[in-house]
């Protein structure tokens, strides 16, 4: 009773949800919460994402998080409240964006079957993968994390991300060039609590998203 909301729709996944209820997703990307014999439509950023990229598969992992596979944009991981934690697609390492199957093994890692090949995602690992497919960063010479910033020194300058954990949460982190750092960077190093940048143009100190020159001797 009440399931006529799914008339002419294809159901992609039915998953256990909070308080012994159920989460139902259609291939159109609609999400419903089924509780006490009632179907409640869920509208949030996750449902918007699934509508745009077409939900195809879903799985609830042992740790309580959810992973949804799409036809057009790989997978998206959420917490138990369906808030998006990260997106993983072809740009960030999958062989293909069309996800056909999902399976969690006994180690908490996720097998992803796609139109092209099979991939293994190690959710429990300590490594994150970032592929600079557009060549934005250039050649990386040094990297360091300080406070809420993650810095990368390259042959083009210093790039940074504001949130220190954004590499784990986002498949396409948006690095920004630190203004005034343009040129060859050789080393980034924290000394006595200060972040130093060794550069072709001299030696600099970086504080947040600002940089100042301390020495003009070249090749610092």
């Amino acid at each position: 009773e009440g399931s006529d909301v799914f008339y002419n729709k294809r159901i992609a996944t039915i998953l256990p949800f909070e308080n012994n209820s159920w989460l139902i997703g259609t291939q159109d990307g609609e999400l419903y919460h089924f509780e006490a014999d009632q179907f409640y439509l869920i509208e949030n950023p996750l449902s918007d994402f699934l509508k745009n990229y077409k939900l195809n598969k879903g799985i609830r992992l042992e740790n309580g998080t959810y992973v949804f596979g799409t036809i057009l944009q790989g997978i998206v991981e959420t917490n138990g409240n369906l808030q998006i934690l990260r997106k993983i697609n072809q740009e960030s390492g999958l062989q293909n964006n069309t996800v056909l199957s999902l399976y969690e093994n006994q180690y908490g890692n996720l097998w992803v079957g796609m139109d092209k090949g099979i991939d293994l995602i190690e959710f429990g690992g300590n490594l994150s993968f970032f592929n600079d497919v557009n060549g934005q960063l250039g050649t990386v010479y040094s990297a360091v994390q300080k406070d809420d910033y993650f810095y990368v020194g390259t042959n083009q300058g210093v790039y940074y991300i504001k949130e220190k954990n954004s590499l784990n949460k986002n498949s396409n982190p948006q690095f920004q060039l630190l203004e005034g750092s343009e040129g060859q960077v050789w080393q980034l190093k924290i000394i006595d609590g200060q972040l130093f940048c060794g550069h072709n143009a001299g030696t600099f100190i970086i504080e947040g998203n600002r940089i100042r020159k301390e020495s003009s001797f070249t090749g610092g």
Side-chain angles (χ1 to χ4, degrees), residues 130-197:
F130 171 72
N131 185 17
D132 183 21
V133 294
N134 297 319
Q136 174 195 0
L137 302 183
T139 302
V140 176
Y141 282 76
S142 186
V144 69
Q145 181 176 304
K146 188 176 188 299
D147 301 326
D148 288 335
Y149 290 84
F150 179 72
Y151 302 92
V152 178
T154 80
N155 66 313
Q156 300 176 171
V158 178
Y159 292 84
Y160 70 94
I161 302 175
K162 181 64 164 62
E163 296 182 7
K164 60 184 178 181
N165 292 322
S166 59
L167 278 175
N168 294 327
K169 297 179 180 179
N170 193 340
S171 64
N172 186 25
Q174 299 300 308
F175 283 95
Q176 300 181 60
L177 177 63
L178 187 62
E179 187 176 352
S181 72
E182 295 87 347
Q184 174 69 58
V185 176
W186 297 111
Q187 187 177 33
L188 298 171
K189 189 171 184 178
I190 298 174
I191 303 173
D192 292 336
Q194 290 186 305
L195 175 56
F196 284 82
C197 169

Side-chain angles (χ1 to χ4, degrees), residues 14-62:
I14 301 177
L15 301 170
F17 200 45
E18 56 191 19
N19 300 322
N20 297 317
S21 61
W22 297 92
L23 180 68
I24 304 172
T26 72
Q27 288 187 337
D28 291 330
E30 292 182 338
L31 291 176
Y32 290 85
H33 180 199
F34 179 58
E35 184 177 30
D37 298 328
Q38 297 289 323
F39 294 91
Y40 302 96
L41 180 65
I42 298 173
E43 296 193 50
N44 59 12
L46 172 64
S47 63
D48 292 338
F49 179 86
L50 297 178
K51 288 174 186 175
N52 287 333
Y53 300 113
K54 306 304 178 186
L55 173 64
N56 197 39
K57 290 291 177 181
I59 188 173
R60 184 183 184 183
L61 303 182
E62 285 296 322

Side-chain angles (χ1 to χ4, degrees), residues 56-57 69-71 73-75 88-91 93-103 110-121:
N56 197 39
K57 290 291 177 181
T70 70
I71 295 294
Q73 197 57 237
I75 68 172
I88 303 176
N89 53 32
Q90 189 169 346
E91 186 174 353
L94 287 183
Q95 295 181 74
N96 188 262
N97 277 332
T98 300
V99 176
L100 305 179
S101 59
L102 298 167
Y103 175 77
L110 184 69
W111 289 98
V112 184
M114 297 156 292
D115 257 358
K116 177 184 178 182
I118 302 172
D119 285 351
L120 177 65
I121 300 175

